[in-house]
Amino acid sequence: MKNTAVPSDDLTVAERMRQRFDDLTRAERQLASTMLGNYPVTGLGSITTVAEAAEVSTPTVVRMAKKLGFAGFPQLQAALRAELEATISNPIVKHDHWAQDAPDTHILNRFAAAAMENMRLTLNQLEPDQFDAVTGLLADEKRKIYVVGGRITRALADYLFTHLQAIRNDVTLIASNSNTWPHYVLNMAKGDVLVAFDIRRYEHDILRLAEMARERGVKLVVFTDHWGSPAASGADHSFHARIEAPSAWDSSMVSLFIVEALIAAVQNETWKDSKERMHELERLFDQTKLFRKFI
Amino acid sequence: MKNTAVPSDDLTVAERMRQRFDDLTRAERQLASTMLGNYPVTGLGSITTVAEAAEVSTPTVVRMAKKLGFAGFPQLQAALRAELEATISNPIVKHDHWAQDAPDTHILNRFAAAAMENMRLTLNQLEPDQFDAVTGLLADEKRKIYVVGGRITRALADYLFTHLQAIRNDVTLIASNSNTWPHYVLNMAKGDVLVAFDIRRYEHDILRLAEMARERGVKLVVFTDHWGSPAASGADHSFHARIEAPSAWDSSMVSLFIVEALIAAVQNETWKDSKERMHELERLFDQTKLFRKFI
DNA sequence: CGCGTTCTGAAACAAACTCTTCAGAATCTG
DNA sequence: CAGATTCTGAAGAGTTTGTTTCAGAACGCG
């Protein structure tokens, strides 16, 4: 019952979609993404269902099927069923459906498992009140914000800084070079906020900076791992993200997650003001682009 | 999305068929046996196909569907698809309680849900081969590595750079200011690798840089979102991470995940050499610290 | 900014599917 | 074995699905 019009090469539908992804149009990509996202179940419904799931029209589905080398949608679907049969009847291929074709022991899957576990553990013990309190601090335009990171966490600090800077005024990224830090401390006023990233191996300089800031009445927010940087003990608020990974290095993924959630929360809180600010920013970027074009 | 006319008991179609096998007529048993024999694939075709496969008539199929408690064949089929989805889909999908005390509508939980979904979707369509190939490129000490990011993705580029730099020689972070980029291009040789981060809104400069690099025979690896930066179409390898978030900003979390997994993989691949290198690095850091202490 | 190209989905049509009806076959019962 | 009962699939009615067409939208390019 192997359908007729299926091309000779023995590629799966998924492979076809990925392989020709670049040739696909916007709507087709949307469709392919949807189908890949819940592969192969989505593709097994009627063409109408599939189209609705991907929020495209049925003609788009037909067109993509043809682009991928099938005579029509029914043929594509038949191919999906054939694949499914091949997969299911093979007992070895259990459910290693993380990265579909990779064995469970592939670093990608091991890393994914660790990452998910880190997320789960972190979220379980994250206190929403803390989170909201920090949101409040960062959203308060009366407070100046300082952001600092260490050797590795510099990237996180940078990320938070870049976004906060777009959202509000008075945000400063403290340069890596700790020689210059006294200058920053000098400018800090009571009620300002210092966000410090300090994940093991903890950096002594950051602890010192945090202490100096606190002496000046600065609110201290620390991002650290779940063992806790020494700087976290004196902090007003701290986030303890899990960082374990099957790697010689720690994972910053969960920390980044918290940072992004914070950015979203601050953006929400200040939307009234930041909306106009964002639009103006867009305009400025467009101008920069225009400007460059004519150089 | 559980279709309407499905009975309340949460039985699979297979269970229903077996449970009521004795109530079935000859033709119906024949049908049920066929469907169970290649479960659930056979049941996923059209009613005509199913009937033919079991060598019974279509009315028989309809009658059995109704006997099993479904409104009709399409409903039975929908149940099959739902089962399949439940079986195949990831363990990731169903963590019900994220941040324990926060209501579901709290930004933390909404963000967490989006993040997990992004992970799932991305992993589903990530190609391990692609990943391994990039690992190979980055682990190859004969190739120089250049890393570049855009306004937001700069942090990711920085993160990758910081780690790679610890792992191997000849890694360069291309500065943000695109005026200086020609200098870098000048130094690029055939076989070198350019890792470019370009997530919407895509930056024209990065596209230009990528093109220039490619003209010089440089291997191009692009990190982008699942819509795909224009730079990705000319790339030797590209990673398409999902970036949707309940935020005015896109999420870089999944991209960071891929970066970290890559770092781990490269570290593994080069462990023989990088091990000694890492230890030396540790020693150097310790010396720096000692040094500072006595100033 | 205007032009040509490509893309997209509404609409109409053709094909296939699903279900119902019903007559004959098979089976059971006394 | 006759008669009642149940089962079954051919045939066709009524839906839904799958495909094509086409006009407008979106896009890219000079």
Side-chain angles (χ1 to χ4, degrees), chain B residues 59-92:
Chain B
T60 302
V61 181
V62 179
R63 279 190 290 262
M64 190 183 76
K66 291 189 173 169
K67 249 189 195 171
L68 297 182
F70 298 97
F73 176 72
Q75 284 69 34
L76 181 151
Q77 197 174 57
L80 280 179
R81 276 200 299 274
E83 283 174 29
L84 189 64
E85 175 166 8
T87 314
I88 283 186
S89 71
N90 275 286
I92 301 181

PDB file of all heavy atoms in Angstrom, chain B residues 59-92:
ATOM      1  N   PRO B  59     -19.323   0.436   6.003  1.00  0.00           N
ATOM      2  CA  PRO B  59     -20.353   0.475   7.056  1.00  0.00           C
ATOM      3  C   PRO B  59     -19.925  -0.284   8.310  1.00  0.00           C
ATOM      4  O   PRO B  59     -20.242   0.139   9.423  1.00  0.00           O
ATOM      5  CB  PRO B  59     -21.547  -0.203   6.389  1.00  0.00           C
ATOM      6  CG  PRO B  59     -21.356   0.065   4.955  1.00  0.00           C
ATOM      7  CD  PRO B  59     -19.870   0.016   4.731  1.00  0.00           C
ATOM      8  N   THR B  60     -19.216  -1.358   8.114  1.00  0.00           N
ATOM      9  CA  THR B  60     -18.740  -2.105   9.277  1.00  0.00           C
ATOM     10  C   THR B  60     -17.860  -1.230  10.161  1.00  0.00           C
ATOM     11  O   THR B  60     -17.971  -1.256  11.387  1.00  0.00           O
ATOM     12  CB  THR B  60     -17.945  -3.341   8.813  1.00  0.00           C
ATOM     13  OG1 THR B  60     -18.790  -4.145   8.000  1.00  0.00           O
ATOM     14  CG2 THR B  60     -17.469  -4.150   9.991  1.00  0.00           C
ATOM     15  N   VAL B  61     -17.016  -0.469   9.502  1.00  0.00           N
ATOM     16  CA  VAL B  61     -16.140   0.408  10.262  1.00  0.00           C
ATOM     17  C   VAL B  61     -16.957   1.406  11.073  1.00  0.00           C
ATOM     18  O   VAL B  61     -16.733   1.605  12.265  1.00  0.00           O
ATOM     19  CB  VAL B  61     -15.159   1.151   9.329  1.00  0.00           C
ATOM     20  CG1 VAL B  61     -14.235   2.035  10.138  1.00  0.00           C
ATOM     21  CG2 VAL B  61     -14.372   0.167   8.498  1.00  0.00           C
ATOM     22  N   VAL B  62     -17.925   1.995  10.399  1.00  0.00           N
ATOM     23  CA  VAL B  62     -18.759   2.973  11.093  1.00  0.00           C
ATOM     24  C   VAL B  62     -19.486   2.325  12.259  1.00  0.00           C
ATOM     25  O   VAL B  62     -19.513   2.853  13.371  1.00  0.00           O
ATOM     26  CB  VAL B  62     -19.793   3.584  10.126  1.00  0.00           C
ATOM     27  CG1 VAL B  62     -20.683   4.574  10.858  1.00  0.00           C
ATOM     28  CG2 VAL B  62     -19.076   4.258   8.983  1.00  0.00           C
ATOM     29  N   ARG B  63     -20.042   1.173  11.994  1.00  0.00           N
ATOM     30  CA  ARG B  63     -20.802   0.512  13.057  1.00  0.00           C
ATOM     31  C   ARG B  63     -19.924   0.217  14.258  1.00  0.00           C
ATOM     32  O   ARG B  63     -20.315   0.432  15.408  1.00  0.00           O
ATOM     33  CB  ARG B  63     -21.418  -0.783  12.511  1.00  0.00           C
ATOM     34  CG  ARG B  63     -22.700  -0.561  11.725  1.00  0.00           C
ATOM     35  CD  ARG B  63     -23.395  -1.871  11.416  1.00  0.00           C
ATOM     36  NE  ARG B  63     -22.667  -2.673  10.436  1.00  0.00           N
ATOM     37  CZ  ARG B  63     -22.964  -2.707   9.139  1.00  0.00           C
ATOM     38  NH1 ARG B  63     -23.962  -1.976   8.654  1.00  0.00           N
ATOM     39  NH2 ARG B  63     -22.267  -3.448   8.316  1.00  0.00           N
ATOM     40  N   MET B  64     -18.719  -0.256  13.999  1.00  0.00           N
ATOM     41  CA  MET B  64     -17.865  -0.555  15.132  1.00  0.00           C
ATOM     42  C   MET B  64     -17.502   0.711  15.907  1.00  0.00           C
ATOM     43  O   MET B  64     -17.530   0.713  17.144  1.00  0.00           O
ATOM     44  CB  MET B  64     -16.593  -1.285  14.710  1.00  0.00           C
ATOM     45  CG  MET B  64     -15.844  -1.808  15.937  1.00  0.00           C
ATOM     46  SD  MET B  64     -14.284  -2.625  15.560  1.00  0.00           S
ATOM     47  CE  MET B  64     -13.242  -1.218  15.213  1.00  0.00           C
ATOM     48  N   ALA B  65     -17.204   1.765  15.173  1.00  0.00           N
ATOM     49  CA  ALA B  65     -16.877   3.018  15.847  1.00  0.00           C
ATOM     50  C   ALA B  65     -17.996   3.396  16.803  1.00  0.00           C
ATOM     51  O   ALA B  65     -17.760   3.772  17.949  1.00  0.00           O
ATOM     52  CB  ALA B  65     -16.649   4.118  14.811  1.00  0.00           C
ATOM     53  N   LYS B  66     -19.204   3.242  16.343  1.00  0.00           N
ATOM     54  CA  LYS B  66     -20.338   3.608  17.198  1.00  0.00           C
ATOM     55  C   LYS B  66     -20.476   2.651  18.380  1.00  0.00           C
ATOM     56  O   LYS B  66     -20.776   3.074  19.494  1.00  0.00           O
ATOM     57  CB  LYS B  66     -21.613   3.624  16.370  1.00  0.00           C
ATOM     58  CG  LYS B  66     -21.616   4.760  15.379  1.00  0.00           C
ATOM     59  CD  LYS B  66     -22.947   4.930  14.695  1.00  0.00           C
ATOM     60  CE  LYS B  66     -22.892   6.205  13.858  1.00  0.00           C
ATOM     61  NZ  LYS B  66     -24.030   6.324  12.951  1.00  0.00           N
ATOM     62  N   LYS B  67     -20.233   1.392  18.105  1.00  0.00           N
ATOM     63  CA  LYS B  67     -20.300   0.417  19.188  1.00  0.00           C
ATOM     64  C   LYS B  67     -19.300   0.751  20.284  1.00  0.00           C
ATOM     65  O   LYS B  67     -19.550   0.534  21.465  1.00  0.00           O
ATOM     66  CB  LYS B  67     -19.984  -0.984  18.641  1.00  0.00           C
ATOM     67  CG  LYS B  67     -21.180  -1.926  18.638  1.00  0.00           C
ATOM     68  CD  LYS B  67     -20.729  -3.332  18.302  1.00  0.00           C
ATOM     69  CE  LYS B  67     -21.930  -4.195  17.931  1.00  0.00           C
ATOM     70  NZ  LYS B  67     -21.505  -5.496  17.387  1.00  0.00           N
ATOM     71  N   LEU B  68     -18.156   1.268  19.876  1.00  0.00           N
ATOM     72  CA  LEU B  68     -17.124   1.583  20.856  1.00  0.00           C
ATOM     73  C   LEU B  68     -17.403   2.892  21.578  1.00  0.00           C
ATOM     74  O   LEU B  68     -16.647   3.305  22.441  1.00  0.00           O
ATOM     75  CB  LEU B  68     -15.753   1.650  20.173  1.00  0.00           C
ATOM     76  CG  LEU B  68     -15.256   0.353  19.534  1.00  0.00           C
ATOM     77  CD1 LEU B  68     -13.879   0.553  18.934  1.00  0.00           C
ATOM     78  CD2 LEU B  68     -15.225  -0.782  20.551  1.00  0.00           C
ATOM     79  N   GLY B  69     -18.465   3.535  21.192  1.00  0.00           N
ATOM     80  CA  GLY B  69     -18.854   4.731  21.917  1.00  0.00           C
ATOM     81  C   GLY B  69     -18.524   6.043  21.227  1.00  0.00           C
ATOM     82  O   GLY B  69     -18.679   7.103  21.815  1.00  0.00           O
ATOM     83  N   PHE B  70     -18.065   5.972  20.004  1.00  0.00           N
ATOM     84  CA  PHE B  70     -17.760   7.208  19.298  1.00  0.00           C
ATOM     85  C   PHE B  70     -18.940   7.627  18.438  1.00  0.00           C
ATOM     86  O   PHE B  70     -19.773   6.788  18.073  1.00  0.00           O
ATOM     87  CB  PHE B  70     -16.523   7.029  18.419  1.00  0.00           C
ATOM     88  CG  PHE B  70     -15.292   6.710  19.199  1.00  0.00           C
ATOM     89  CD1 PHE B  70     -14.867   5.403  19.354  1.00  0.00           C
ATOM     90  CD2 PHE B  70     -14.569   7.729  19.804  1.00  0.00           C
ATOM     91  CE1 PHE B  70     -13.736   5.104  20.101  1.00  0.00           C
ATOM     92  CE2 PHE B  70     -13.434   7.432  20.553  1.00  0.00           C
ATOM     93  CZ  PHE B  70     -13.021   6.126  20.699  1.00  0.00           C
ATOM     94  N   ALA B  71     -19.001   8.903  18.129  1.00  0.00           N
ATOM     95  CA  ALA B  71     -20.098   9.397  17.304  1.00  0.00           C
ATOM     96  C   ALA B  71     -19.954   8.875  15.877  1.00  0.00           C
ATOM     97  O   ALA B  71     -20.934   8.683  15.177  1.00  0.00           O
ATOM     98  CB  ALA B  71     -20.114  10.919  17.306  1.00  0.00           C
ATOM     99  N   GLY B  72     -18.741   8.649  15.474  1.00  0.00           N
ATOM    100  CA  GLY B  72     -18.523   8.173  14.110  1.00  0.00           C
ATOM    101  C   GLY B  72     -17.065   7.874  13.905  1.00  0.00           C
ATOM    102  O   GLY B  72     -16.263   7.981  14.834  1.00  0.00           O
ATOM    103  N   PHE B  73     -16.715   7.493  12.709  1.00  0.00           N
ATOM    104  CA  PHE B  73     -15.322   7.151  12.457  1.00  0.00           C
ATOM    105  C   PHE B  73     -14.357   8.325  12.690  1.00  0.00           C
ATOM    106  O   PHE B  73     -13.315   8.137  13.314  1.00  0.00           O
ATOM    107  CB  PHE B  73     -15.166   6.602  11.036  1.00  0.00           C
ATOM    108  CG  PHE B  73     -13.750   6.312  10.676  1.00  0.00           C
ATOM    109  CD1 PHE B  73     -13.082   5.230  11.235  1.00  0.00           C
ATOM    110  CD2 PHE B  73     -13.061   7.138   9.798  1.00  0.00           C
ATOM    111  CE1 PHE B  73     -11.768   4.978  10.915  1.00  0.00           C
ATOM    112  CE2 PHE B  73     -11.748   6.887   9.475  1.00  0.00           C
ATOM    113  CZ  PHE B  73     -11.087   5.801  10.035  1.00  0.00           C
ATOM    114  N   PRO B  74     -14.688   9.524  12.213  1.00  0.00           N
ATOM    115  CA  PRO B  74     -13.755  10.645  12.434  1.00  0.00           C
ATOM    116  C   PRO B  74     -13.446  10.848  13.911  1.00  0.00           C
ATOM    117  O   PRO B  74     -12.319  11.197  14.262  1.00  0.00           O
ATOM    118  CB  PRO B  74     -14.507  11.844  11.860  1.00  0.00           C
ATOM    119  CG  PRO B  74     -15.418  11.263  10.846  1.00  0.00           C
ATOM    120  CD  PRO B  74     -15.828   9.920  11.376  1.00  0.00           C
ATOM    121  N   GLN B  75     -14.432  10.621  14.761  1.00  0.00           N
ATOM    122  CA  GLN B  75     -14.193  10.810  16.193  1.00  0.00           C
ATOM    123  C   GLN B  75     -13.236   9.744  16.730  1.00  0.00           C
ATOM    124  O   GLN B  75     -12.351  10.029  17.521  1.00  0.00           O
ATOM    125  CB  GLN B  75     -15.512  10.760  16.959  1.00  0.00           C
ATOM    126  CG  GLN B  75     -16.356  12.028  16.830  1.00  0.00           C
ATOM    127  CD  GLN B  75     -16.922  12.204  15.436  1.00  0.00           C
ATOM    128  OE1 GLN B  75     -17.249  11.220  14.776  1.00  0.00           O
ATOM    129  NE2 GLN B  75     -17.029  13.445  14.985  1.00  0.00           N
ATOM    130  N   LEU B  76     -13.442   8.532  16.259  1.00  0.00           N
ATOM    131  CA  LEU B  76     -12.519   7.481  16.664  1.00  0.00           C
ATOM    132  C   LEU B  76     -11.103   7.844  16.231  1.00  0.00           C
ATOM    133  O   LEU B  76     -10.140   7.723  16.981  1.00  0.00           O
ATOM    134  CB  LEU B  76     -12.934   6.154  16.021  1.00  0.00           C
ATOM    135  CG  LEU B  76     -12.082   4.920  16.344  1.00  0.00           C
ATOM    136  CD1 LEU B  76     -12.944   3.662  16.265  1.00  0.00           C
ATOM    137  CD2 LEU B  76     -10.921   4.775  15.360  1.00  0.00           C
ATOM    138  N   GLN B  77     -11.006   8.331  15.022  1.00  0.00           N
ATOM    139  CA  GLN B  77      -9.689   8.668  14.488  1.00  0.00           C
ATOM    140  C   GLN B  77      -9.045   9.808  15.282  1.00  0.00           C
ATOM    141  O   GLN B  77      -7.846   9.779  15.564  1.00  0.00           O
ATOM    142  CB  GLN B  77      -9.824   9.058  13.023  1.00  0.00           C
ATOM    143  CG  GLN B  77      -8.520   9.014  12.294  1.00  0.00           C
ATOM    144  CD  GLN B  77      -8.713   9.260  10.818  1.00  0.00           C
ATOM    145  OE1 GLN B  77      -9.257  10.286  10.425  1.00  0.00           O
ATOM    146  NE2 GLN B  77      -8.284   8.310  10.014  1.00  0.00           N
ATOM    147  N   ALA B  78      -9.871  10.775  15.624  1.00  0.00           N
ATOM    148  CA  ALA B  78      -9.342  11.893  16.413  1.00  0.00           C
ATOM    149  C   ALA B  78      -8.788  11.359  17.734  1.00  0.00           C
ATOM    150  O   ALA B  78      -7.733  11.804  18.194  1.00  0.00           O
ATOM    151  CB  ALA B  78     -10.433  12.920  16.656  1.00  0.00           C
ATOM    152  N   ALA B  79      -9.490  10.413  18.327  1.00  0.00           N
ATOM    153  CA  ALA B  79      -9.020   9.824  19.586  1.00  0.00           C
ATOM    154  C   ALA B  79      -7.668   9.150  19.372  1.00  0.00           C
ATOM    155  O   ALA B  79      -6.764   9.271  20.194  1.00  0.00           O
ATOM    156  CB  ALA B  79     -10.048   8.831  20.109  1.00  0.00           C
ATOM    157  N   LEU B  80      -7.529   8.478  18.255  1.00  0.00           N
ATOM    158  CA  LEU B  80      -6.251   7.829  17.951  1.00  0.00           C
ATOM    159  C   LEU B  80      -5.131   8.863  17.886  1.00  0.00           C
ATOM    160  O   LEU B  80      -4.049   8.667  18.432  1.00  0.00           O
ATOM    161  CB  LEU B  80      -6.329   7.099  16.609  1.00  0.00           C
ATOM    162  CG  LEU B  80      -7.003   5.730  16.603  1.00  0.00           C
ATOM    163  CD1 LEU B  80      -7.008   5.162  15.203  1.00  0.00           C
ATOM    164  CD2 LEU B  80      -6.283   4.788  17.548  1.00  0.00           C
ATOM    165  N   ARG B  81      -5.413   9.954  17.197  1.00  0.00           N
ATOM    166  CA  ARG B  81      -4.379  10.986  17.072  1.00  0.00           C
ATOM    167  C   ARG B  81      -4.018  11.555  18.434  1.00  0.00           C
ATOM    168  O   ARG B  81      -2.851  11.795  18.726  1.00  0.00           O
ATOM    169  CB  ARG B  81      -4.861  12.095  16.139  1.00  0.00           C
ATOM    170  CG  ARG B  81      -4.624  11.789  14.681  1.00  0.00           C
ATOM    171  CD  ARG B  81      -4.644  13.053  13.847  1.00  0.00           C
ATOM    172  NE  ARG B  81      -5.924  13.720  13.922  1.00  0.00           N
ATOM    173  CZ  ARG B  81      -6.958  13.419  13.140  1.00  0.00           C
ATOM    174  NH1 ARG B  81      -6.847  12.468  12.232  1.00  0.00           N
ATOM    175  NH2 ARG B  81      -8.089  14.065  13.251  1.00  0.00           N
ATOM    176  N   ALA B  82      -5.044  11.775  19.257  1.00  0.00           N
ATOM    177  CA  ALA B  82      -4.780  12.327  20.586  1.00  0.00           C
ATOM    178  C   ALA B  82      -3.895  11.373  21.393  1.00  0.00           C
ATOM    179  O   ALA B  82      -2.954  11.800  22.059  1.00  0.00           O
ATOM    180  CB  ALA B  82      -6.094  12.584  21.320  1.00  0.00           C
ATOM    181  N   GLU B  83      -4.194  10.082  21.299  1.00  0.00           N
ATOM    182  CA  GLU B  83      -3.369   9.108  22.006  1.00  0.00           C
ATOM    183  C   GLU B  83      -1.931   9.188  21.534  1.00  0.00           C
ATOM    184  O   GLU B  83      -0.992   9.193  22.325  1.00  0.00           O
ATOM    185  CB  GLU B  83      -3.857   7.681  21.713  1.00  0.00           C
ATOM    186  CG  GLU B  83      -5.094   7.279  22.445  1.00  0.00           C
ATOM    187  CD  GLU B  83      -5.562   5.912  21.960  1.00  0.00           C
ATOM    188  OE1 GLU B  83      -4.702   5.107  21.524  1.00  0.00           O
ATOM    189  OE2 GLU B  83      -6.769   5.653  21.986  1.00  0.00           O
ATOM    190  N   LEU B  84      -1.805   9.231  20.235  1.00  0.00           N
ATOM    191  CA  LEU B  84      -0.478   9.239  19.642  1.00  0.00           C
ATOM    192  C   LEU B  84       0.312  10.442  20.142  1.00  0.00           C
ATOM    193  O   LEU B  84       1.474  10.330  20.515  1.00  0.00           O
ATOM    194  CB  LEU B  84      -0.612   9.300  18.119  1.00  0.00           C
ATOM    195  CG  LEU B  84       0.676   9.107  17.349  1.00  0.00           C
ATOM    196  CD1 LEU B  84       1.216   7.719  17.588  1.00  0.00           C
ATOM    197  CD2 LEU B  84       0.424   9.325  15.865  1.00  0.00           C
ATOM    198  N   GLU B  85      -0.367  11.563  20.151  1.00  0.00           N
ATOM    199  CA  GLU B  85       0.304  12.769  20.613  1.00  0.00           C
ATOM    200  C   GLU B  85       0.763  12.608  22.055  1.00  0.00           C
ATOM    201  O   GLU B  85       1.889  12.929  22.407  1.00  0.00           O
ATOM    202  CB  GLU B  85      -0.635  13.961  20.490  1.00  0.00           C
ATOM    203  CG  GLU B  85      -0.021  15.215  21.074  1.00  0.00           C
ATOM    204  CD  GLU B  85      -0.768  16.454  20.659  1.00  0.00           C
ATOM    205  OE1 GLU B  85      -1.837  16.314  20.043  1.00  0.00           O
ATOM    206  OE2 GLU B  85      -0.259  17.548  20.961  1.00  0.00           O
ATOM    207  N   ALA B  86      -0.125  12.094  22.874  1.00  0.00           N
ATOM    208  CA  ALA B  86       0.210  11.916  24.284  1.00  0.00           C
ATOM    209  C   ALA B  86       1.406  10.983  24.443  1.00  0.00           C
ATOM    210  O   ALA B  86       2.274  11.189  25.285  1.00  0.00           O
ATOM    211  CB  ALA B  86      -0.988  11.366  25.040  1.00  0.00           C
ATOM    212  N   THR B  87       1.448   9.969  23.609  1.00  0.00           N
ATOM    213  CA  THR B  87       2.544   9.014  23.708  1.00  0.00           C
ATOM    214  C   THR B  87       3.856   9.628  23.261  1.00  0.00           C
ATOM    215  O   THR B  87       4.885   9.458  23.895  1.00  0.00           O
ATOM    216  CB  THR B  87       2.273   7.806  22.799  1.00  0.00           C
ATOM    217  OG1 THR B  87       0.933   7.398  22.997  1.00  0.00           O
ATOM    218  CG2 THR B  87       3.216   6.673  23.130  1.00  0.00           C
ATOM    219  N   ILE B  88       3.770  10.318  22.151  1.00  0.00           N
ATOM    220  CA  ILE B  88       4.999  10.789  21.529  1.00  0.00           C
ATOM    221  C   ILE B  88       5.549  12.044  22.171  1.00  0.00           C
ATOM    222  O   ILE B  88       6.748  12.203  22.305  1.00  0.00           O
ATOM    223  CB  ILE B  88       4.757  11.045  20.024  1.00  0.00           C
ATOM    224  CG1 ILE B  88       4.730   9.702  19.321  1.00  0.00           C
ATOM    225  CG2 ILE B  88       5.825  11.936  19.451  1.00  0.00           C
ATOM    226  CD1 ILE B  88       4.643   9.829  17.833  1.00  0.00           C
ATOM    227  N   SER B  89       4.659  12.910  22.589  1.00  0.00           N
ATOM    228  CA  SER B  89       5.138  14.224  22.999  1.00  0.00           C
ATOM    229  C   SER B  89       6.020  14.108  24.223  1.00  0.00           C
ATOM    230  O   SER B  89       5.950  13.167  24.993  1.00  0.00           O
ATOM    231  CB  SER B  89       3.978  15.150  23.279  1.00  0.00           C
ATOM    232  OG  SER B  89       3.345  14.735  24.456  1.00  0.00           O
ATOM    233  N   ASN B  90       6.789  15.135  24.411  1.00  0.00           N
ATOM    234  CA  ASN B  90       7.847  15.133  25.414  1.00  0.00           C
ATOM    235  C   ASN B  90       7.395  15.118  26.844  1.00  0.00           C
ATOM    236  O   ASN B  90       6.324  15.591  27.157  1.00  0.00           O
ATOM    237  CB  ASN B  90       8.625  16.424  25.248  1.00  0.00           C
ATOM    238  CG  ASN B  90       9.642  16.264  24.217  1.00  0.00           C
ATOM    239  OD1 ASN B  90      10.626  15.628  24.467  1.00  0.00           O
ATOM    240  ND2 ASN B  90       9.390  16.813  23.058  1.00  0.00           N
ATOM    241  N   PRO B  91       8.265  14.666  27.708  1.00  0.00           N
ATOM    242  CA  PRO B  91       8.001  14.849  29.126  1.00  0.00           C
ATOM    243  C   PRO B  91       8.013  16.330  29.483  1.00  0.00           C
ATOM    244  O   PRO B  91       7.420  16.728  30.474  1.00  0.00           O
ATOM    245  CB  PRO B  91       9.154  14.123  29.801  1.00  0.00           C
ATOM    246  CG  PRO B  91      10.187  13.937  28.753  1.00  0.00           C
ATOM    247  CD  PRO B  91       9.479  13.926  27.450  1.00  0.00           C
ATOM    248  N   ILE B  92       8.665  17.118  28.659  1.00  0.00           N
ATOM    249  CA  ILE B  92       8.763  18.545  28.974  1.00  0.00           C
ATOM    250  C   ILE B  92       7.394  19.162  29.103  1.00  0.00           C
ATOM    251  O   ILE B  92       7.150  19.987  29.956  1.00  0.00           O
ATOM    252  CB  ILE B  92       9.485  19.311  27.848  1.00  0.00           C
ATOM    253  CG1 ILE B  92      10.865  18.753  27.646  1.00  0.00           C
ATOM    254  CG2 ILE B  92       9.552  20.777  28.168  1.00  0.00           C
ATOM    255  CD1 ILE B  92      11.611  19.489  26.558  1.00  0.00           C
TER     256      ILE B  92
END
